[in-house]
Amino acid sequence: MTVSGRTQRSFADAIGYFVNTLPIRSQIDGKMSFAEVSAATAQTIVEARQAGDFPFALLVHRLQPVRDLNAPPLCRAVFGMQKPTAGDDVGSLLAGEGESIAWGDTIVAPYKLDQQEGQFDLVLELYDTPNGYSGVLKYDANLMRHDSAARFAKRFVHLLQQIVDDPTKTIDSYSIVPEDESTVIEQWSAGDPIEDPSHLRFDQWFESQVAANPQAHAATLGDQQWTYSQLDAHANRVARLLQQSGAQAGSHVIVATGRTIEAPILMLACFKIGAAYVPMSPQSPPARADQMIDDCKPAVIVAEASLIDRLRQRDSETKLIATSALLPLSESFEASSLQASFSESEIAYIICTSGSTGTPKGIAVSHGALCRHIRGISCVFGTTADDRMYQFSDLTFDPSIEQMVVTWSVGGAVVFRDDTLPSVEAFWQTMFDQRITIANLPPKYFEECSRALPIGEAWPKSLRLMIVGGDVFPRDVAVDWLQRGVRLLNAYGPTESVITATTFEVTDDFAGGKLPIGRPKPGSTAYVVDDQRRLLPIGVAGELVLGGPVLADGYINLPEATAEQFARGQIGGRCQRYYRTGDLARWNADGQLEFLGRIDRQVKIRGFRIELGDVEAALAACPGVTAGYGKAFHDAGDSYVGAFATVEAGSGLTVESITSELKGRLPIYMVPQRIMIIDDLPLLSSGKIDAAKLYAEPPSSTVKQRQYIPPRSEIEEVMTEVWAGVLGLQRVGIADDFYELGGGSLQSLRIVSELTQRGISLLDDQSGTLGPQMLFQYTTISELSPHLGRVGK
């Protein structure tokens, strides 16, 4: 606050600037009444005024606070009360009211000046006038836009009106959102209304398309193609096989297959009998796979042969079917429709995600919620029977389901990729050859593909819509796509909201800052609220809460977690079921949601949702590790998980041995790429880990390079140069492990692209093409180089 500085009578008539600034520290408890806060503040001000003559500049000099050249010291917001003593007419002048007043023989009139000061970020001055109080709000234009300042002032007046009406209410009970702003936010928060689709079970929806267009193209995988009638017949046979094996409505079927046609057939087969489809990676570490199986308690597991052999030793009761045997076994069953009887509330699929307790959480989605999602998101995508959707997402992620069901709901075709992560060149060739119209890519892969956009006749003119979701949208590459006539959507959605929850259509006139995540899809809602579920004003950060009938049922076998995250109640003007995302967001002035981060310690790494508590639980389970702490790091545009661990004295544990142990407990994308063994984890007085005292980033020495072995041939010399350049290292030896050096899918794409440009490819006796997956199959240069050669040599 400011004081006049004229505490002595001798200063009363002196001309000069005596105003001094007093930093005030306030602590406001939301449970206190305004009257209590006012009384406490008055006491604080009385005490502060006793030091009113102590110069602010001297106070700063004595305290020596950490200075920020872009911000004033000690306080950044100032409140001033101007209460003239020379008459009420002077107050009118200070407030800028009236035309003029007479001071003896002098006529005085207000003259508006541009703001001359800039000492503080925000200054509110009130003037006591004959007509009440008037105020002037001054702000730093580099920090606040004019419309934001105007809203701030209006909210302040709105708050004061409520306080005057009843000063005995608790602080938490006052609203800072004026009615007109609340109305606008309500409109933004609700997606366009839609009616329920005619089918609320997807099996019936799919069969309606089969009946309407039995010979229409439904699916492509490599050189193989299936019509709707063929895909339906396979699914019906497999559904009957699953029933004979013990699956029925309400049971769970784990599907751990690679990218073969059996995967979508199994999904449809589960839908047809009312069993929940539970995708699981066939590469899941044994400990992780066992956790999922114990949690889901499946009636049937369909998996690759190598996994079946291990599971047969583990469990003698669950029915096991090898993927390779699925279609041959089903051939003897009837191909006609099953006409199974179950309701829309039956679970359609379960997606298992990282859990903070160290155990994967199974998120269950009903047929009704899935079908309502299809109806809403189809309006956003504009899907038709002419569309050809590229099925790119990992089969264990819910976007893979969206890519199939949304397309099949309108009679379109789905083009599946195989287990090989395509190189940038292979991706564009597929877009061209398969006449893809819609693709949904993770941001990092989208960014790499954007750096090699085809030109001329090589451009796939069929491509009309690109959906990018799962992480931060790389906005700097958007313009080239838009110039080629492709719609770009930035998509956001946790699994609990049933895949895509909000979208933002990128245009060529977007400016600076992070790209918004948009508005809710039709038939759903999205609110930014405080901890009491009250709407927050435009520009104010709060928790993003998603609502409506398009939500998951909850977490299987976790009633407490379900009750905590999913609830029913009043938000805004609606009473509805809602999901607390744990994401921080705010509405911008254009009515678009902006994603700001997490409230908790969940992170997104290369599109994967990871609970750091899950990583820490795996660390703690490693023999000889006494404690661990996970942390997300960002380096050269990429993100990864790092970890700090303490170990038992004399355990002999090394970074390599801990990493090896974690690979048997966690999916590869969750294994920390850099681990540092330290003596102790720093603690706060509360006993919690003091993360601020840990390294902001792991030292470069924690990159796990082995004893340097130089290249032995021209091919290996080129490879070491490329690896070092892409991974940002001074040198790489032929025995260094790609993953341990910090390599991931993004780096593998760049390495393959650079090797291809330098004329290096697979040898003639090797099948297929050089692809990113080979760097995970052959993780060192010495292992990979025998399979490579120069083009034309």
Side-chain angles (χ1 to χ4, degrees):
M1 62 172 289
T2 58
V3 292
S4 66
R6 299 174 184 269
T7 55
Q8 299 182 30
R9 188 179 298 275
S10 57
F11 296 153
D13 297 325
I15 298 175
Y17 187 80
F18 289 79
V19 174
N20 191 29
T21 300
L22 299 181
I24 302 294
R25 178 176 293 165
S26 298
Q27 292 183 341
I28 300 177
D29 186 340
K31 303 303 179 185
M32 297 170 63
S33 69
F34 175 79
E36 292 172 332
V37 172
S38 179
T41 303
Q43 180 63 32
T44 301
I45 290 174
V46 168
E47 294 172 357
R49 289 176 68 91
Q50 296 176 7
D53 290 335
F54 196 91
F56 179 73
L58 182 58
L59 180 66
V60 173
H61 176 72
R62 293 276 181 88
L63 294 179
Q64 292 290 312
V66 177
R67 299 297 298 269
D68 180 351
L69 296 179
N70 296 317
L74 297 181
C75 56
R76 303 178 68 167
V78 173
F79 173 79
M81 169 66 79
Q82 304 289 353
K83 194 174 179 67
T85 58
D88 290 339
D89 50 357
V90 177
S92 298
L93 279 180
L94 290 173
E97 299 176 356
E99 295 184 1
S100 62
I101 61 172
W103 272 3
D105 296 333
T106 304
I107 303 299
V108 182
Y111 182 80
K112 186 175 182 180
L113 293 171
D114 291 335
Q115 182 173 328
Q116 301 296 307
E117 62 195 87
Q119 295 178 337
F120 300 97
D121 296 346
L122 192 68
V123 177
L124 176 61
E125 294 179 345
L126 289 186
Y127 301 93
D128 190 357
T129 76
N131 298 321
Y133 289 100
S134 294
V136 175
L137 183 69
K138 303 175 183 179
Y139 59 92
D140 186 340
N142 294 317
L143 300 176
M144 184 180 287
R145 299 189 337 186
H146 176 73
D147 55 348
S148 298
R151 284 194 297 270
F152 181 92
K154 193 169 185 178
R155 292 168 194 156
F156 184 69
V157 173
H158 174 67
L159 177 61
L160 291 180
Q161 289 171 337
Q162 297 173 81
I163 291 172
V164 170
D165 290 341
D166 187 355
T168 63
K169 294 172 63 175
T170 62
I171 297 298
D172 279 345
S173 61
Y174 294 118
S175 167
I176 61 172
V177 186
E179 187 174 344
D180 56 347
E181 185 176 351
S182 178
T183 300
V184 170
I185 294 173
E186 282 276 9
Q187 293 172 348
W188 292 346
S189 298
D192 294 336
I194 56 171
E195 295 181 357
D196 274 351
S198 55
H199 300 288
L200 286 173
R201 281 174 38 185
F202 185 74
D203 59 309
Q204 295 174 341
W205 200 335
F206 181 79
E207 288 172 0
S208 71
Q209 291 297 330
V210 175
N213 300 287
Q215 300 309 310
H217 179 205
T220 292
L221 200 164
D223 297 331
Q224 297 177 298
Q225 295 189 4
W226 291 266
T227 65
Y228 272 83
S229 61
Q230 290 171 332
L231 201 60
D232 188 56
H234 279 304
N236 288 333
R237 292 190 182 99
V238 170
R240 288 186 167 89
L241 172 62
L242 293 178
Q243 283 181 325
Q244 186 191 69
S245 302
Q248 57 184 344
S251 60
H252 302 162
V253 176
I254 286 183
V255 177
T257 71
R259 288 179 165 276
T260 62
I261 194 59
E262 284 83 359
I265 288 175
L266 278 161
M267 182 189 75
L268 290 171
C270 290
F271 288 173
K272 286 174 177 288
I273 62 175
Y277 163 69
V278 188
M280 182 176 81
S281 171
Q283 282 77 46
S284 294
R288 197 74 170 182
D290 290 347
Q291 286 177 328
M292 282 186 61
I293 293 169
D294 291 340
D295 196 35
C296 289
K297 297 179 175 56
V300 181
I301 299 176
V302 183
E304 294 184 354
S306 57
L307 183 56
I308 288 290
D309 292 339
R310 190 186 72 81
L311 294 178
R312 188 170 285 117
Q313 298 173 2
R314 174 188 184 277
D315 185 356
S316 59
E317 296 182 4
T318 304
K319 178 66 176 180
L320 305 175
I321 302 175
T323 306
S324 57
L326 183 72
L327 294 183
L329 286 173
S330 68
E331 283 300 319
S332 60
F333 291 90
E334 182 65 40
S336 60
S337 177
L338 280 77
Q339 301 297 320
S341 177
F342 58 90
S343 73
E344 67 186 66
S345 62
E346 206 65 71
I347 300 302
Y349 65 85
I350 296 172
I351 297 294
C352 293
T353 66
S354 178
S356 58
T357 62
T359 302
K361 290 190 299 187
I363 302 167
V365 176
S366 69
H367 275 265
L370 176 61
C371 290
R372 291 184 178 97
H373 168 73
I374 294 170
R375 181 65 177 269
I377 207 65
S378 292
C379 297
V380 179
F381 295 168
T383 45
T384 70
D386 295 327
D387 276 316
R388 295 173 62 82
M389 172 74 80
Y390 186 46
Q391 200 289 298
F392 180 91
S393 295
D394 190 291
L395 294 175
T396 60
F397 290 179
D398 53 343
S400 68
I401 296 174
E402 181 180 78
Q403 290 156 17
M404 291 183 274
V405 297
V406 170
T407 310
W408 287 333
S409 71
V410 294
V414 179
V415 178
F416 293 86
R417 71 173 178 90
D418 58 23
D419 283 319
T420 302
L421 178 66
S423 65
V424 170
E425 294 77 13
F427 168 81
W428 282 117
Q429 195 63 48
T430 299
M431 294 297 102
F432 188 87
D433 293 343
Q434 294 293 340
R435 307 185 311 282
I436 300 297
T437 62
I438 305 176
N440 186 335
L441 302 179
K444 292 298 183 183
Y445 190 83
F446 168 76
E447 186 175 6
E448 288 302 304
C449 293
S450 301
R451 301 187 190 283
L453 290 177
I455 58 175
E457 292 304 313
W459 173 256
K461 297 179 176 60
S462 60
L463 188 60
R464 67 170 187 83
L465 173 62
M466 177 61 70
I467 306 154
V468 182
D471 213 329
V472 179
F473 188 101
R475 59 185 306 125
D476 58 324
V477 299
V479 174
D480 289 335
W481 292 81
L482 296 172
Q483 289 177 346
R484 287 168 167 79
V486 179
R487 280 182 68 202
L488 281 181
L489 286 181
N490 185 26
Y492 158 88
T495 302
E496 290 88 342
S497 70
V498 186
I499 321 172
T500 305
T502 69
T503 58
F504 174 75
E505 182 140 0
V506 183
T507 60
D508 55 8
D509 58 354
F510 61 84
K514 291 201 309 185
L515 211 62
I517 58 174
R519 291 195 190 173
K521 66 192 173 192
S524 65
T525 58
Y527 295 95
V528 179
V529 301
D530 61 15
D531 56 4
Q532 297 187 52
R533 299 199 313 274
R534 294 177 302 190
L535 298 185
L536 286 172
I538 298 167
V540 176
E543 183 175 17
L544 180 59
V545 171
L546 303 173
V550 190
L551 289 178
D553 286 28
Y555 306 108
I556 61 171
N557 305 324
L558 294 172
E560 292 182 359
T562 299
E564 181 181 355
Q565 299 301 121
F566 295 86
R568 180 174 292 277
Q570 186 85 11
I571 298 184
R574 294 178 175 83
C575 183
Q576 60 184 315
R577 186 167 180 262
Y578 59 86
Y579 164 66
R580 297 179 55 207
T581 65
D583 289 335
L584 278 175
R586 68 182 176 192
W587 289 106
N588 66 20
D590 298 322
Q592 303 291 340
L593 286 167
E594 295 180 347
F595 176 81
L596 303 176
R598 289 288 300 177
I599 295 173
D600 57 20
R601 297 182 62 232
Q602 185 186 108
V603 297
K604 271 286 185 76
I605 302 294
R606 299 166 184 164
F608 294 92
R609 173 170 144 179
I610 298 173
E611 292 277 5
L612 291 175
D614 203 351
V615 176
E616 290 162 3
L619 268 171
C622 293
V625 174
T626 55
Y629 188 80
K631 198 172 181 180
F633 297 98
H634 308 280
D635 181 25
D638 198 13
S639 301
Y640 59 90
V641 174
F644 301 86
T646 61
V647 302
E648 295 175 358
S651 65
L653 285 179
T654 63
V655 168
E656 288 77 11
S657 63
I658 295 175
T659 300
S660 178
E661 179 71 23
L662 288 176
K663 286 180 179 179
R665 297 178 179 275
L666 295 171
I668 195 67
Y669 64 85
M670 290 179 63
V671 176
Q673 286 190 244
R674 297 186 183 183
I675 297 175
M676 187 173 187
I677 297 175
I678 58 180
D679 294 334
D680 294 291
L681 290 170
L683 300 179
L684 298 166
S685 58
S686 63
K688 295 182 178 180
I689 293 173
D690 187 355
K693 290 185 178 178
L694 292 170
Y695 292 93
E697 58 180 286
S700 58
S701 61
T702 59
V703 176
K704 298 184 285 295
Q705 288 182 272
R706 303 174 184 177
Q707 182 179 1
Y708 177 72
I709 301 177
R712 302 163 299 186
S713 65
E714 179 189 356
I715 292 288
E716 290 185 348
E717 188 171 341
V718 172
M719 293 172 70
T720 56
E721 290 176 5
V722 170
W723 280 34
V726 171
L727 297 173
L729 301 172
Q730 289 187 349
R731 71 177 184 180
V732 172
I734 62 172
D736 291 331
D737 186 276
F738 171 70
Y739 185 79
E740 291 179 355
L741 292 177
S745 55
L746 177 64
Q747 290 81 3
S748 70
L749 285 167
R750 292 178 179 172
I751 287 174
V752 168
S753 181
E754 288 200 28
L755 289 177
T756 303
Q757 292 175 13
R758 296 200 186 195
I760 295 177
S761 66
L762 288 177
L763 296 173
D764 294 338
D765 60 345
Q766 302 290 323
S767 59
T769 58
L770 176 59
Q773 81 288 348
M774 294 196 70
L775 277 80
F776 296 94
Q777 182 180 0
Y778 306 106
T779 60
T780 67
I781 290 175
S782 62
E783 293 174 344
L784 180 57
S785 60
H787 303 277
L788 304 180
R790 288 278 192 185
V791 174
K793 289 190 178 182

